[in-house]
């Protein structure tokens, strides 16, 4: 019987090639999008963290409670030893510190290479917590000795051009010869760890003395601490016991620490600690569902509309003995065949768009990831669900047709499905499209507002140059002077980082003037020389700039500090002393700069101080003229390389760095644009199919109207009116839905754009224009046909 169903289904589908094609393409877009979304979700929900006891691995984080709560994926450097020695909750505890862009020199039997590489400094027990598979080396992974390293196979090939490099050496930061003791199997792309070069923790003191030390004074997010707990531990009890540590080791600190244990698999979905926002997964899932729903609506609308034209076929089948169940299953078989073809085409779409999808989200999805029992179960389930839900309603309509009325041609259109249901489905389709378009507009406006607003500092034509660590002061000022002599360079400043979009935020406690206690809030350090303010175009509102000095005894602060201190004006801070960094840095406030955005628009402006500190500088900021920038950069590179011979010249434009702060929003925007376009495309296909049906159904009516004197415009207005009403109704429904969710999304931003009514008007007009274009094409084609030919149409 199944074979017979398939034969009949195939024959019927070939009779209606246009409608079959429309249904297949619409469903294929939905299937293709769902496959890409499945790959994305599977990529983010799959973990491989190399440990048989992964359920007992935890990272220890810190909540810093001041006037607000700051979340740090780290603890003070001294925490690990105290937790290891004073408590009996864990089997192993280990620290790992991350340092970016270190210089690696390789000279191996004539093979020479120089590169900048991120390095992870790890304690010995780190490799006992995480069971990294070893390819080359000893029986166990170990970094117990200083000046030793372990790397992955891909990193070995990157550095040496081959994988077995045990015993090879390289020079790190021009002064340490490091010996490679093991090569690890490449990490899965879903691993929590992305670093591929591990160096002994003993060497950390060469590049980051604070993290390598044993103190409780502060936290750096570059240092993480992991613990392999003993079996059957109660996390709440451990966290309660850890509340005693700040009282014991940080009794005078105004920054109250609360130490939290975070399970390894939760790290990936913790936006507070830099992880993926789970809302992104929800958005993907909902958008994928929307596209499948739109495609299903198209199928139902077109198929139910066709029931009227298939009524005689159904009547004959019933007269010849077919039962309702036979007709129902026959139509479901047709739907399944269409869905099967659509699934195949959807896989082709997914393959074609996968590279663009990977670029959009900076991931490495591959179609071979689909070769799993889980995927085949998913795709079989979605195929059956779509086929059944899309085919059930039209199938029921077909099976209910009365044979006598069908054969006599007395069947009414309502006998083959309610027009109200079709209108509701079309409205639902328009609602989804309007929601996606309006959301895209609002996201775009927020990103534009954040990037193009006055940030309070100059980011245009500004380039940031990386400089070697521990730069000598005479080299710094020598390079500055040589850069200033280049035509096209306006100003130069040595600094820790830029005013905003900083990669090196440094928050520290503060004591103001003669107040007996430290303040309840942190202040951000923007360390820079005497040219910092002018180079970045910061505006002085009170006092003066600090002078060039060898010691930190004068600082600039921003207006926000006065507000946080509860002062009436910025001028009240002038001449007062502040002490920061555990009161190790004391200086007099000599100037106040206008507030600038030191973080993204999701956060409020921080209190800030600016002070010279040559030993902390990691960059040189160069303000250029907009003309001949390529030539100017080339000359800058020449001067830089002459000063720092043997180092790699690297630079980044500041406006690019600012834009990177909104990478998540840019992805939301790209996602909205892509899926809005797909939703509109599917909707156009469905709308075209419906118009094709309705115009064909009213061909004689058009002919009669033309004979009676109607012109083309009046006929077009007649056909357009009903569909435009549906678009307006959809707009009324979509507007409050979009406003609610987008307003909720905008609440994440301290500084945000307004939601204007015309955003929704634009979305409605876009859908209206597309609907009119689709309707007009088919209607005008029939309207311009000779009335004689129209009146002869059956």
């Amino acid at each position: 019987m199944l074979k017979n169903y398939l034969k009949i289904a195939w024959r019927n589908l070939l009779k209606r090639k246009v409608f079959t094609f429309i249904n297949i393409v619409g469903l294929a877009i939905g299937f293709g999008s769902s496959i890409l979304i499945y790959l994305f979700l599977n990529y983010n929900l799959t973990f491989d963290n190399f440990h048989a006891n992964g359920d007992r691995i935890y990272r220890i984080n810190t909540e810093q409670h001041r006037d607000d709560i700051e979340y740090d994926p780290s603890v003070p450097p001294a925490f690990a030893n105290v937790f290891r020695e004073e408590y009996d909750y864990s089997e192993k505890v280990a620290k790992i510190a991350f340092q970016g862009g270190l210089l690696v020199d390789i000279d191996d039997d004539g093979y020479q290479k120089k590169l900048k590489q991120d390095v992870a400094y790890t304690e010995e027990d780190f490799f006992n917590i995480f069971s990294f598979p070893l390819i080359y080396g000893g029986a166990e992974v170990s970094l117990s000795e200083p000046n030793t390293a372990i790397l992955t196979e891909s990193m070995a090939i990157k550095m040496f051009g081959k994988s077995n490099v045990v015993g090879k050496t390289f020079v790190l930061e021009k002064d340490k010869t490091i010996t490679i003791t093991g090569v690890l199997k490449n990490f899965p792309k879903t691993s929590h760890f992305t670093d591929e070069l591990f160096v002994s923790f003993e060497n950390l003191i060469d590049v980051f003395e604070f993290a390598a030390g044993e103190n409780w004074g502060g936290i750096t997010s570059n240092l993480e601490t992991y613990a392999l707990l003993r079996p059957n531990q109660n996390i709440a009890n451990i966290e309660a016991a850890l509340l005693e540590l700040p009282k014991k080791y940080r009794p005078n600190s105004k920054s109250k620490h609360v130490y939290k244990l975070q399970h390894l698999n939760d790290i990936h979905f913790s936006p507070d600690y830099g992880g993926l926002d789970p809302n992104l997964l929800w958005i993907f899932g909902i958008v994928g569902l929307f596209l499948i729903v739109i495609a299903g609506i198209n199928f139902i609308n077109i198929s139910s509309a066709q029931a009227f034209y298939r009524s005689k076929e159904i009547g004959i089948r019933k007269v010849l003995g077919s039962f309702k169940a036979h007709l129902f299953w026959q139509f479901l078989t047709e739907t399944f065949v269409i869905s099967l073809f659509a699934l195949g085409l959807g896989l082709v779409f997914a393959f074609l768009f996968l590279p663009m999808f990977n670029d959009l989200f900076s991931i490495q999805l591959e179609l071979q990831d689909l070769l799993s029992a889980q995927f085949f179960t998913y795709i079989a389930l979605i195929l059956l669900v779509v086929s059944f839900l899309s085919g059930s309603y039209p199938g029921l309509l077909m099976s209910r047709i009365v044979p006598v009325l069908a054969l006599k041609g007395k069947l009414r259109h309502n006998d083959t499905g309610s027009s109200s249901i079709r209108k509701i489905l079309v409205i639902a389709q328009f609602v989804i499209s309007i929601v996606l378009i309006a959301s895209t507009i609002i996201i775009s406006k927020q990103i534009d507002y954040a990037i193009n607003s006055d940030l309070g500092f100059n980011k245009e034509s500004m380039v940031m140059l990386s400089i070697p660590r521990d730069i000598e002061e005479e080299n710094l000022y020598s390079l500055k002077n040589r850069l200033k002599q280049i035509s096209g360079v306006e100003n130069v400043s040595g600094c820790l980082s830029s005013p905003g979009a900083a990669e090196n935020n440094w928050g520290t406690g503060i004591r103001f003037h003669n107040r007996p206690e430290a303040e309840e809030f942190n202040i951000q350090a923007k360390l820079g020389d005497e040219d910092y303010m002018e180079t970045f175009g910061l505006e002085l509102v009170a006092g003066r700039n600090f002078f060039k000095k060898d010691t930190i005894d004068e600082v600039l602060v921003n207006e926000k500090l006065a507000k946080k201190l509860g002062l009436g004006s910025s001028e009240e801070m002038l001449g007062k002393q502040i002490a920061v960094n555990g009161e190790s840095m004391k200086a007099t406030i000599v100037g106040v700069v206008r507030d600038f955005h030191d973080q993204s628009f999701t956060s409020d402006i921080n209190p800030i101080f600016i002070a010279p500190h040559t030993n902390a500088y990691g960059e040189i900021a160069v303000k250029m003229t907009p003309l001949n920038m390529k030539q100017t950069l080339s000359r800058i590179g020449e001067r830089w390389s002459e000063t720092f011979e043997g180092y790699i010249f690297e630079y980044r434009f500041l406006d690019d760095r600012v834009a990177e702060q909104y990478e998540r929003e840019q992805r939301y925007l790209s996602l909205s644009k892509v899926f809005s376009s797909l939703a509109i495309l599917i909707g156009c296909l469905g709308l075209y199919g419906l118009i094709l049906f309705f115009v064909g159904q009213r061909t004689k009516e058009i002919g009669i109207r033309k004979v009676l004197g109607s012109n083309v415009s009046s006929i077009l207005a007649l056909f357009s009116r009903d569909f435009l009403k549906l678009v307006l109704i959809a707009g009324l429904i979509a507007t409050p839905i979009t406003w609610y969710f987008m307003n909720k999304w905008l609440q994440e931003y301290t500084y945000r754009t307004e939601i204007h009514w015309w955003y929704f008007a634009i979305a409605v007009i876009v859908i209206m224009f597309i609907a009119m274009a689709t309707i007009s094409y088919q209607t005008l084609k029939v309207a311009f046909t000779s009335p004689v030919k129209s009146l002869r149409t059956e």
Side-chain angles (χ1 to χ4, degrees):
M1 182 175 288
L2 178 61
K3 185 177 180 182
N4 190 42
Y5 278 155
L6 289 172
K7 275 185 179 180
I8 298 171
W10 182 250
R11 191 165 58 244
N12 286 334
L13 293 177
L14 289 177
K15 287 179 183 177
R16 297 178 299 278
K17 294 178 183 177
V18 174
F19 294 107
T20 300
F21 174 79
I22 289 172
N23 281 330
I24 287 177
V25 173
L27 285 173
I29 294 171
F31 279 129
S33 303
S34 297
I35 290 167
L36 289 176
I37 289 171
Y38 169 86
L39 282 171
F40 179 84
L41 296 178
N42 187 62
Y43 176 90
N44 284 289
L45 293 170
T46 303
F47 303 95
D48 187 347
N49 287 293
F50 309 107
H51 205 284
N53 297 314
D55 60 319
R56 294 192 282 124
I57 299 177
Y58 288 80
R59 184 176 70 186
I60 306 173
N61 302 326
T62 302
E63 290 182 4
Q64 294 195 72
H65 294 245
R66 296 181 78 94
D67 56 336
D68 55 8
I69 299 177
E70 296 179 8
Y71 301 89
D72 294 290
S74 181
V75 287
F79 178 94
N81 277 335
V82 171
F83 189 67
R84 186 186 289 125
E85 295 167 4
E86 297 186 14
Y87 296 91
D88 194 34
Y89 298 122
S90 61
E91 293 179 6
K92 302 287 182 182
V93 180
K95 293 186 282 188
I96 177 171
F98 308 99
Q99 289 293 287
L102 300 189
L103 182 66
V104 173
D105 278 302
I106 300 165
D107 189 351
D108 178 45
D109 293 332
Y111 174 84
Q112 295 183 334
K113 191 169 186 178
K114 191 186 302 288
L115 66 155
K116 280 201 167 183
Q117 185 58 51
D118 295 341
V119 176
Y121 292 84
T122 55
E123 290 187 320
E124 182 180 5
D125 276 342
F126 180 81
F127 295 98
N128 296 320
I129 294 175
F130 297 96
S131 303
F132 297 94
L134 194 66
I135 299 176
Y136 304 107
E140 295 182 355
V141 181
S142 176
L143 284 179
S144 56
E145 298 295 325
N147 302 324
T148 57
I150 293 173
L151 39 65
T152 63
E153 185 177 16
S154 61
M155 180 56 63
I157 294 172
K158 177 181 177 181
M159 290 173 61
F160 292 88
K162 54 187 176 182
S163 55
N164 188 355
V165 294
V166 174
K168 302 288 185 184
T169 63
F170 63 89
V171 177
L172 190 62
E173 287 291 280
K174 282 191 165 292
D175 62 356
K176 288 292 179 183
T177 300
I178 309 295
T179 302
I180 298 170
T181 60
V183 178
L184 304 171
K185 181 180 179 181
N186 288 334
F187 299 166
K189 58 193 176 186
T190 53
S191 171
H192 167 54
F193 294 105
T194 57
D195 289 87
E196 298 182 276
L197 177 58
F198 299 90
V199 175
S200 170
F201 199 83
E202 300 293 327
N203 291 98
L204 180 62
I205 194 168
D206 300 328
V207 294
F208 198 177
E209 186 176 353
F210 170 77
E214 293 288 324
N215 70 77
W216 290 87
I219 288 175
T220 170
S221 57
N222 287 353
L223 177 71
E224 295 183 356
T225 300
Y226 290 87
L228 175 62
L229 300 185
R230 299 185 186 280
N232 305 315
Q233 294 294 318
N234 186 301
I235 303 304
N237 291 344
I238 297 175
E239 291 178 342
L242 294 179
L243 292 174
E244 298 301 316
L245 289 181
K247 299 175 184 176
K248 182 177 180 181
Y249 294 103
R250 297 170 49 87
N252 300 319
S253 176
K254 281 292 184 178
S255 177
K256 180 184 177 184
H257 280 190
V258 178
Y259 304 120
K260 297 286 186 178
L261 275 67
Q262 184 178 32
H263 193 275
L264 193 64
N265 286 350
D266 294 335
I267 292 174
H268 194 62
F269 296 108
S270 55
D272 286 339
Y273 295 102
L276 183 71
D277 186 353
N279 290 331
L280 186 61
L281 301 184
W282 277 104
I283 290 170
F284 262 87
I286 291 170
V287 168
L289 178 63
F290 276 178
L291 292 174
I292 287 290
V293 167
I294 291 175
I297 288 173
N298 277 351
F299 190 96
I300 292 169
N301 276 339
I302 295 173
S303 299
S304 60
Q306 284 182 286
F308 181 81
Y309 285 110
R310 298 185 64 180
S311 59
K312 286 189 178 181
E313 172 198 338
I314 303 302
I316 292 171
R317 287 181 181 278
K318 282 196 169 184
V319 168
L320 293 177
S322 291
F323 295 105
K324 285 185 177 181
H326 293 157
L327 295 169
F328 176 78
W329 287 107
Q330 177 60 55
F331 194 81
L332 276 187
T333 304
E334 291 181 20
T335 308
F336 178 78
V337 171
I338 288 175
S339 299
L340 199 59
F341 274 101
L343 177 59
L345 187 59
L347 281 167
V348 174
F349 287 164
F351 174 76
L352 293 175
F353 287 99
L354 187 60
M356 183 190 75
F357 199 77
N358 283 335
D359 289 342
L360 177 62
F361 290 99
S362 301
I363 52 181
Q364 300 173 3
L365 302 181
E366 298 174 358
L367 281 181
Q368 67 184 32
D369 296 332
L370 300 178
L371 301 178
S372 66
Q374 181 181 349
F375 171 72
F376 288 117
T377 302
Y378 163 79
I379 209 64
L381 184 63
I382 198 171
L383 177 64
L384 292 174
V385 169
V386 169
S387 298
F388 183 78
L389 293 181
S390 299
S392 294
Y393 177 65
L396 288 172
L397 293 180
M398 297 283 194
S399 63
R400 285 192 326 199
I401 289 175
V402 179
V404 176
L405 295 176
L407 294 173
K408 287 183 176 181
K410 294 184 177 180
L411 205 65
R412 297 170 301 171
H413 289 290
N414 283 342
D415 293 327
T416 57
S418 169
S419 61
S420 297
I421 292 178
R422 276 198 287 271
K423 287 179 180 178
I424 290 171
L425 293 175
V426 171
I427 289 172
Q429 191 178 65
F430 286 152
V431 166
I432 294 172
S433 297
I434 291 170
V435 166
L436 289 173
I437 294 171
S439 298
T440 300
I441 294 171
I442 294 170
I443 293 172
S444 177
K445 289 296 181 183
Q446 176 60 27
I447 295 174
D448 182 70
Y449 174 72
I451 294 177
N452 295 319
S453 293
D454 180 9
L455 301 179
F457 62 90
N458 191 352
K459 62 183 175 65
E460 303 301 329
S461 306
M462 184 75 68
V463 67
M464 307 298 296
L465 314 179
S466 296
I467 56 177
R469 298 167 190 273
D470 300 323
I471 183 174
E472 295 182 3
E473 189 170 351
E474 57 267 26
N475 285 342
L476 173 66
Y477 282 99
S478 171
L479 178 59
K480 279 186 59 179
N481 291 330
R482 297 180 70 193
L483 292 178
K484 286 180 179 179
Q485 294 170 9
I486 297 174
S487 174
V489 172
E490 294 183 1
N491 217 323
V492 184
S493 172
C495 57
L496 173 66
S497 58
S498 60
E503 295 182 336
N504 297 298
N505 281 325
W506 177 18
T508 176
I510 173 178
R511 185 189 294 271
F512 178 71
H513 194 41
N514 55 4
R515 294 186 179 182
E517 293 186 357
E519 302 302 322
E520 297 289 339
F521 56 86
N522 266 351
I523 189 169
Q524 285 287 327
K526 300 292 180 182
L527 304 177
D529 60 26
E530 67 280 1
D531 293 317
Y532 189 87
M533 186 179 73
E534 184 179 353
T535 301
F536 287 104
L538 303 182
E539 184 180 347
L540 195 67
V541 295
R544 60 171 175 84
N545 191 12
F546 52 75
F547 299 119
K548 179 181 176 181
K549 292 186 178 181
D550 296 330
T551 58
I552 304 176
D553 61 359
E554 294 182 342
V555 298
L556 301 174
V557 297
N558 66 343
E559 296 171 297
K560 187 71 173 185
L561 178 59
K563 297 172 187 174
K564 298 291 282 188
L565 291 170
L567 302 179
S569 68
S570 297
E571 286 77 4
E572 293 182 45
M573 295 188 292
L574 296 177
K576 306 293 195 305
Q577 273 212 334
I578 62 169
V580 299
N581 197 35
E583 300 190 35
S584 63
M585 296 169 60
K586 296 182 179 180
T588 301
I589 299 173
V590 296
V592 182
V593 297
R594 189 174 301 282
D595 285 339
F596 55 85
H597 290 276
D598 62 310
Q599 301 183 90
S600 74
F601 275 29
T602 57
S603 305
D604 197 3
I605 293 172
N606 284 306
I608 288 168
F609 79 92
I610 303 169
H613 192 352
T614 308
N615 292 337
Y617 297 164
E619 295 181 307
I620 289 180
V622 181
K623 171 62 177 166
M624 300 184 295
T625 57
L627 300 176
N628 302 319
M629 290 179 62
K630 187 175 180 180
Q631 186 177 5
T632 304
L633 272 173
S634 177
R635 291 174 180 170
I636 290 172
E638 291 172 4
R639 302 289 191 280
W640 190 95
S641 298
E642 289 168 2
T643 306
F644 305 116
E645 187 177 354
Y647 286 91
I648 298 173
F649 174 62
E650 284 187 338
Y651 66 88
R652 292 182 67 191
F653 284 100
L654 183 55
D655 53 359
D656 290 338
R657 189 181 289 180
V658 171
E660 282 181 4
Q661 289 189 117
Y662 302 95
E663 185 178 356
R664 183 189 66 167
E665 289 78 5
Q666 293 282 9
R667 288 176 177 177
Y668 283 154
L669 179 60
S670 299
L671 178 70
S672 299
K673 288 179 178 177
V674 170
F675 287 126
S676 295
S677 300
L678 291 177
I680 290 170
L681 179 58
I682 297 173
C684 285
L685 287 170
L687 196 57
Y688 180 80
L690 276 179
I691 295 301
L692 196 65
F693 163 75
F694 285 124
V695 170
Q697 178 185 329
R698 301 175 70 174
T699 300
K700 280 189 178 181
E701 178 188 341
I702 292 172
I704 292 170
R705 288 181 178 275
K706 287 190 72 176
V707 170
L708 294 177
S710 293
N711 55 29
V712 174
S713 59
S714 63
I715 293 172
L716 180 61
L718 175 69
F719 278 84
S720 304
R721 193 179 301 122
D722 288 340
F723 280 98
L724 294 182
K725 285 180 182 176
L726 298 183
V727 175
L728 289 174
I729 293 170
L732 292 174
I733 296 171
T735 296
I737 294 173
T738 311
W739 185 90
Y740 173 78
F741 285 105
M742 294 314 297
N743 186 62
K744 194 172 182 181
W745 178 73
L746 286 172
Q747 296 306 312
E748 297 179 14
Y749 294 87
T750 306
Y751 304 92
R752 51 184 177 266
T753 187
E754 303 260 336
I755 299 179
H756 299 287
W757 65 268
W758 50 268
Y759 295 164
F760 306 103
I762 290 175
V764 172
I765 290 170
V766 168
I767 293 299
M768 198 174 286
F769 174 80
I770 292 169
M772 278 296 299
T774 309
I775 293 166
S776 300
Y777 171 73
Q778 193 61 33
T779 305
L780 291 175
K781 192 167 76 171
V782 176
F784 282 116
T785 303
S786 171
V788 176
K789 186 177 179 180
S790 299
L791 293 172
R792 286 178 179 173
T793 302
E794 288 293 333

